[in-house]
Amino acid sequence: VLFDSILSSSLELPASLTITNVNDSPTLATALEDQSAPEDAAFTYAITSGSFADVDAGDTLTYTATLADDSALPSWLSFDGDTQTFSGTPENDDVGAIEVKVTATDGASTSISDNFTITTSNTNDAPTVATALEDQSAPEDAAFTYAITSGSFADVDAGDTLTYTATLADDSALPSWLSFDGDTQTFSGTPENDDVGAIEVKVTATDGASTSISDNFTITTSNTNDAPTVATALEDQSAPEDAAFTYAITSGSFADVDAGDTLTYTATQTSGDDLPSWLSFDADTQTFSGTPTAAADLDITVTASDSTDNITDAFSLTVTNINDAPVFTSSASVSVTERTYLADTVAATDEE
């Protein structure tokens, strides 16, 4: 409206006012909350709707996520900008805390960010077998030792210490000859003849949370020949002259602990000479027999042999004298004429 002071009159003119928009940056309406993500468990976190705002009508925000230092998110964690959702499964190496930055950007490329922390708590991981235990051989009567290779068992949990135990595969105790030192993870002992064969041994590694892992291996004890032994001493014998004599060695007088070993037997005089001609020895039945013809004192050695070694034992055989009747050595018959004087000499011998 214009006024004329002289004419005291006014004139109305048309007018308009246009207000142009100036972009407003997005704002943080609600701070993002810190999150926890247990190890080995699926994690998901959707940003609360309305956490970011933009007063500009018609503006649409886009969302991105990085670590607080603008580096990429760890490989286990993904972010969907359309749904504003984080997801993933952290593993043992991800235990700890990370600071995540979410940025909301409008159409004019102005943005606002907010940070929050994801803390991955440790979940106990069971020990694992890193290297299978190797089968072992343990010759009979020889000292045996086997230290488990370092690193055969592993535990990814930081600070976990493993403890070790050993049993047979069926959880029964180790045989008496075999011991196990859990501190050094070492087996030791000396197997004997009764231990020849194979046993399956189980080693168990247990962590501080009482979770464990086991692995089995075989110890094979090979046979080492054991010499035969005298189990029962041979008894001295007597044999009357001119009478049939027999003596069977008592079963079990000689022994051999080696399974499957068969003993063979021989007999001589202890001097090394052969048996006298009247005396024979049956090795199959271990029996002496014969008829002595004269008194004598004999020392006889019996040898029992396996495929490699032998053992001997001796006994005395006394042949006792039996009196023999005299024996004529001249003719016992003479021819004479009736009523004729006879004079003759008769000869005889007596061994006694």
Side-chain angles (χ1 to χ4, degrees):
V1 179
L2 298 177
F3 293 93
D4 187 331
S5 58
I6 299 174
L7 298 177
S8 299
S9 60
S10 63
L11 176 65
E12 292 184 1
L13 298 175
S16 65
L17 176 63
T18 301
I19 299 174
T20 59
N21 180 65
V22 175
N23 183 70
D24 292 276
S25 296
T27 59
L28 179 66
T30 305
L32 303 180
E33 295 181 355
D34 292 339
Q35 303 292 312
S36 61
E39 174 199 344
D40 297 328
F43 167 77
T44 184
Y45 167 48
I47 296 172
T48 304
S49 176
S51 294
F52 294 88
D54 193 320
V55 296
D56 292 322
D59 257 6
T60 299
L61 298 179
T62 58
Y63 297 86
T64 57
T66 63
L67 293 182
D69 62 1
D70 293 321
S71 60
L73 296 176
S75 59
W76 72 268
L77 183 63
S78 62
F79 177 68
D80 184 333
D82 293 334
T83 62
Q84 297 94 64
T85 301
F86 292 88
S87 62
T89 302
E91 298 182 354
N92 189 77
D93 289 342
D94 304 310
V95 170
I98 57 174
E99 191 172 5
V100 177
K101 179 169 68 174
V102 178
T103 301
T105 304
D106 64 13
S109 298
T110 59
S111 62
I112 188 69
S113 298
D114 192 28
N115 293 0
F116 71 100
T117 298
I118 300 176
T119 301
T120 297
S121 55
N122 183 68
T123 298
N124 185 68
D125 292 274
T128 58
V129 174
T131 304
L133 302 180
E134 296 183 353
D135 293 340
Q136 302 293 312
S137 60
E140 174 198 345
D141 298 328
F144 167 78
T145 184
Y146 167 48
I148 296 172
T149 304
S150 176
S152 295
F153 294 89
D155 193 319
V156 296
D157 291 320
D160 256 6
T161 299
L162 299 179
T163 57
Y164 298 85
T165 55
T167 63
L168 293 182
D170 62 2
D171 294 321
S172 60
L174 296 175
S176 57
W177 72 268
L178 183 63
S179 63
F180 177 69
D181 185 331
D183 293 334
T184 63
Q185 297 97 64
T186 301
F187 292 89
S188 60
T190 302
E192 299 182 354
N193 189 77
D194 289 343
D195 305 308
V196 170
I199 57 174
E200 191 172 6
V201 177
K202 177 168 71 175
V203 178
T204 300
T206 304
D207 66 13
S210 297
T211 58
S212 62
I213 188 69
S214 298
D215 193 28
N216 293 3
F217 70 100
T218 298
I219 300 176
T220 301
T221 297
S222 55
N223 183 67
T224 299
N225 186 69
D226 292 274
T229 58
V230 175
T232 304
L234 302 180
E235 296 182 356
D236 293 339
Q237 303 293 311
S238 62
E241 175 192 352
D242 297 328
F245 167 77
T246 185
Y247 168 47
I249 296 173
T250 303
S251 176
S253 295
F254 295 90
D256 193 318
V257 295
D258 291 321
D261 260 7
T262 300
L263 298 180
T264 58
Y265 298 87
T266 57
T268 63
Q269 295 192 62
T270 302
S271 64
D273 294 336
D274 292 339
L275 297 177
S277 59
W278 68 266
L279 183 62
S280 63
F281 177 67
D282 186 332
D284 293 334
T285 62
Q286 297 96 64
T287 301
F288 292 89
S289 60
T291 301
T293 57
D297 291 315
L298 302 174
D299 291 318
I300 296 175
T301 295
V302 177
T303 301
S305 304
D306 62 13
S307 58
T308 305
D309 298 303
N310 61 65
I311 189 70
T312 62
D313 194 24
F315 68 97
S316 295
L317 173 57
T318 301
V319 178
T320 57
N321 181 64
I322 300 296
N323 184 66
D324 292 288
V327 176
F328 287 102
T329 58
S330 61
S331 175
S333 61
V334 179
S335 297
V336 297
T337 303
E338 182 180 354
R339 298 182 185 199
T340 301
Y341 173 77
L342 173 64
D344 195 8
T345 301
V346 177
T349 61
D350 190 330
E351 293 182 1
E352 279 71 44

